[in-house]
Amino acid sequence: MNNSMNDSPHSPDLSPSSRPNPTPWQCFSNGAVLGAIATALFLLTRSVAQVYAHKQIYSNSLIAARLSVAVKTLVVGLCMLGTAVFGFIAAGLIVLGTKLLIQQWLQPGSQDEGT
């Protein structure tokens, strides 16, 4: 008896051809959400960097001082990485939405408006 996941009538088909095409509205709205997250992460990164820049390290141990500098660099770097990832994805979605909108204007009869 073969009980594979692909044979089930209730399993969704996740192939790229079965997914609906994105609409410009979906691209712009998701781009706006991700842009807001990127802006919030940028403000967080800026405040963390300012706090770390104004706080002095008071330690007689060279290892402790170097370790604290490494941790500060790691924290600011991870915040910047999150900002960059969300920002680039938001920009990509805005560009994709613009491309889809231009395609709809140039070829109004080629796409189904209902789906």
Side-chain angles (χ1 to χ4, degrees), residues 25-45:
W25 167 250
Q26 289 173 332
C27 294
F28 291 136
S29 62
N30 290 331
V33 169
L34 290 173
I37 293 172
T39 302
L41 283 174
F42 172 73
L43 295 174
L44 174 72
T45 302

Side-chain angles (χ1 to χ4, degrees), residues 59-99:
S59 176
N60 293 331
S61 172
L62 182 63
I63 295 174
R66 287 185 179 176
L67 187 61
S68 66
V69 168
V71 168
K72 287 179 182 183
T73 304
L74 180 67
V75 169
V76 173
L78 285 176
C79 288
M80 279 305 298
L81 179 67
T83 302
V85 165
F86 279 97
F88 283 131
I89 292 173
L93 283 172
I94 299 293
V95 169
L96 177 64
T98 304
K99 176 189 167 209

